[in-house]
Amino acid sequence: MSDSNSTRHHVVIVGGGFGGLFAARKLGRSGYDVTLVDKRNFHTFQPLLYQVAVGMLTTGDVCTPHRVTLRRKKNIRSLMSTAYDIDPAKRLIFHESGELSYDTLIVATGVKHAYFGNDEWSEHAPGLKTVEHALRMRRRIFHAFETAELTSDAAERAPWLNFVVVGAGPTGVELAGAIAELAHRIMVEDFRSFDPRETRILLVEGAGRVLPAYPEKLSRQAEKMLEELGVEVVTDTLVSSIDEQGVTMKGPDGEQTLAARTVLWAAGVRASVFGEILAERTGAERANGGRLVVDASLTLPDYPDIFVIGDLAAVTDRADKAVPGLAPAAIQQGEYVANVLKRRRRGKTTPGFKYKDKGSMAVIGRNRAVANLPGFTIAGFSAWLLWVLIHIYALIGSERRLRVMVQWVWKYFTCRTGDRLITGRPPNTRRLHETRGQKSR
């Protein structure tokens, strides 16, 4: 498949996350021909993926088809295909089903997990960037509880009830808190062979405190909230090994190994595959995690026709402020690039990008959250309520907002979560039975 014969300026957007999708929306009826290329046909609201992983929400609650979002934007075409190469000299993008020529390129392919050179860990410690990752986590979490129900031997059961979350940034904190609520509050009456409150949840962080990017006061409050939920916070500790039996950690007290069948990764990120290819083809400078360094106009040096936005971009804005890899920042960048292109059509220039810091939040559990907002911080119920309202408002589509709000209200008052389906082949399906067979011999 190749692009059309239109003589209008053609904008190609690679990646339909927050940055790419909001750029596309803003370019509707702009006078440009726009093509959005993404390997999936839907946008994922990543801040709520952890709720899919623990059964609080379904995939349909956090995912919206691109075609639905862009239905009224007649100048925009959406292609479900994976971009795998670029020729910047010829202004060509190569994807699974053909090639696309572009006049302007917007790259918003985000980042993927980084295991610090230990990619083999990914098999045993899934991360959380896509809806597929969330479903994989959900299989592991609920399969562990189901397997624990199969035995009355406490020693056999213990590894299945040990959960380790690696990385205590917002994703790790939210995952650990959600699993603790599941085990210690929501599912306490659902099993017969064991008490789910026996579950042990460890949150492991290499830095000296959880949420290291937040003010220290909020970090300490978050740690206290986690401990109230039954999470064991382990700081100043690095993971040195992960396999199917568990995890080995090295901290101030030396090295220790914990038998745990469920290890979840929330520690590091690196540039997407297409981002790495783009860097090679353009000679772009790379920052930490392989992110591409762009100037304040969000373009690659020497390539004014190529914008890089979202998590993939390492940006210092025109106010000399480093832009964080957060959804609000990606949205602002996408809308900024769209405005730049609109103004170019009218022969106008645009000053460099300036990030409007709206703060950051992390929810820890029911009635528990912390918020680092411009000029002040809050924690506890008020932060949790603000988090709920902001995330409902941020969802795409009024139907989805209403559905999620109704579910949250229902689950808040009933203390129940029903989407615990284990689909696909669970991990380690035969291990308990093989262990028993070895014992019997």
Side-chain angles (χ1 to χ4, degrees):
M1 180 189 296
S2 60
D3 50 308
S4 65
N5 295 321
S6 171
T7 57
R8 295 206 305 178
H9 191 103
H10 187 206
V11 179
V12 174
I13 303 172
V14 182
F18 285 106
L21 184 62
F22 276 76
R25 289 174 62 177
K26 197 80 171 179
L27 286 170
R29 306 184 187 92
S30 62
Y32 291 106
D33 286 329
V34 181
T35 302
L36 174 65
V37 183
D38 193 287
K39 60 184 176 182
R40 296 175 180 83
N41 74 331
F42 56 86
H43 167 78
T44 301
F45 191 80
Q46 283 190 347
L48 293 180
L49 272 181
Y50 84 94
Q51 294 216 355
V52 176
V54 297
M56 292 294 292
L57 294 175
T58 68
T59 55
D61 295 326
V62 301
C63 298
T64 311
H66 291 137
R67 298 189 187 282
V68 172
T69 305
L70 302 173
R71 178 184 292 146
R72 300 182 187 278
K73 317 295 185 183
K74 302 303 182 183
N75 63 314
I76 300 178
R77 181 172 58 152
S78 179
L79 300 179
M80 190 181 77
S81 188
T82 300
Y84 65 85
D85 206 350
I86 178 175
D87 186 335
K90 295 181 179 179
R91 294 184 176 178
L92 284 176
I93 288 290
F94 301 94
H95 60 95
E96 289 175 319
S97 301
E99 61 186 44
L100 287 167
S101 64
Y102 64 86
D103 298 296
T104 297
L105 175 66
I106 302 173
V107 181
T109 51
V111 292
K112 60 182 181 177
H113 303 112
Y115 291 88
F116 310 116
N118 300 283
D119 290 346
E120 68 276 9
W121 293 356
S122 64
E123 180 182 352
H124 310 294
L128 189 61
K129 286 294 180 185
T130 69
V131 69
E132 291 86 357
H133 295 151
L135 293 176
R136 184 183 174 196
M137 277 194 181
R138 190 176 73 183
R139 280 196 297 271
R140 284 179 172 265
I141 291 168
F142 291 111
H143 179 252
F145 287 110
E146 295 295 340
T147 306
E149 178 75 352
L150 293 173
T151 179
S152 58
D153 187 319
E156 266 186 6
R157 185 190 301 121
W160 296 98
L161 295 182
N162 288 338
F163 291 79
V164 179
V165 179
V166 183
T171 299
V173 164
E174 290 169 348
L175 268 175
I179 295 170
E181 287 211 320
L182 269 177
H184 299 160
R185 185 172 61 86
I186 293 173
M187 300 194 303
V188 293
E189 297 180 357
D190 294 353
F191 297 90
R192 303 296 176 260
S193 298
F194 73 100
D195 185 343
R197 286 171 291 193
E198 300 170 15
T199 301
R200 186 181 179 193
I201 303 108
L202 272 70
L203 178 60
V204 182
E205 169 60 42
R209 55 189 173 94
V210 303
L211 299 175
Y214 284 54
E216 185 172 355
K217 177 182 176 182
L218 279 187
S219 293
R220 300 307 176 197
Q221 289 174 304
E223 182 172 339
K224 181 179 178 182
M225 293 176 191
L226 286 163
E227 291 172 344
E228 289 172 351
L229 288 172
V231 176
E232 299 177 38
V233 177
V234 183
T235 55
D236 291 313
T237 298
L238 298 175
V239 170
S240 56
S241 176
I242 301 174
D243 58 27
E244 62 181 6
Q245 299 299 322
V247 58
T248 300
M249 301 166 284
K250 189 173 184 179
D253 297 327
E255 194 169 77
Q256 62 172 316
T257 298
L258 178 70
R261 300 292 186 255
T262 309
V263 181
L264 307 177
W265 189 262
V269 294
R270 55 185 284 194
S272 65
V273 173
F274 187 79
E276 292 174 349
I277 292 169
L278 176 62
E280 292 173 4
R281 299 290 185 263
T282 60
E285 180 185 352
R286 306 190 202 191
N288 291 338
R291 295 178 304 146
L292 277 63
V293 176
V294 297
D295 56 30
S297 66
L298 305 186
T299 58
L300 291 176
D302 302 323
Y303 291 91
D305 56 329
I306 300 179
F307 293 87
V308 180
I309 61 176
D311 290 348
L312 182 61
V315 188
T316 300
D317 70 5
R318 71 173 191 260
D320 203 30
K321 180 189 297 183
V323 180
L326 300 173
I331 291 171
Q332 290 178 38
Q333 290 170 12
E335 293 181 338
Y336 167 83
V337 171
N339 286 330
V340 167
L341 295 178
K342 286 181 176 181
R343 289 174 63 84
R344 279 184 185 176
R345 281 184 60 82
R346 301 193 298 270
K348 298 182 178 181
T349 59
T350 308
F353 174 72
K354 184 176 181 181
Y355 174 57
K356 297 177 182 178
D357 187 358
K358 298 180 179 180
S360 54
M361 310 181 74
V363 66
I364 294 156
R366 175 187 171 97
N367 299 337
R368 294 176 173 91
V370 293
N372 183 27
L373 304 174
F376 67 101
T377 62
I378 55 175
F381 177 78
S382 56
W384 174 83
L385 184 59
L386 182 61
W387 180 92
V388 168
L389 295 175
I390 288 175
H391 282 72
I392 288 177
Y393 175 78
L395 285 166
I396 296 175
S398 55
E399 176 190 353
R400 192 162 282 97
R401 294 188 192 106
L402 178 61
R403 188 167 69 214
V404 170
M405 182 178 68
V406 169
Q407 288 189 72
W408 278 353
V409 169
W410 172 258
K411 289 166 184 174
Y412 181 85
F413 287 106
T414 62
C415 296
R416 288 288 179 266
T417 176
D419 192 19
R420 305 180 204 166
L421 308 181
I422 301 173
T423 56
R425 182 176 175 82
N428 311 323
T429 303
R430 297 189 303 271
R431 187 176 300 136
L432 179 61
H433 306 290
E434 290 173 349
T435 300
R436 287 178 169 175
Q438 291 168 3
K439 285 185 176 181
S440 65
R441 290 194 294 270

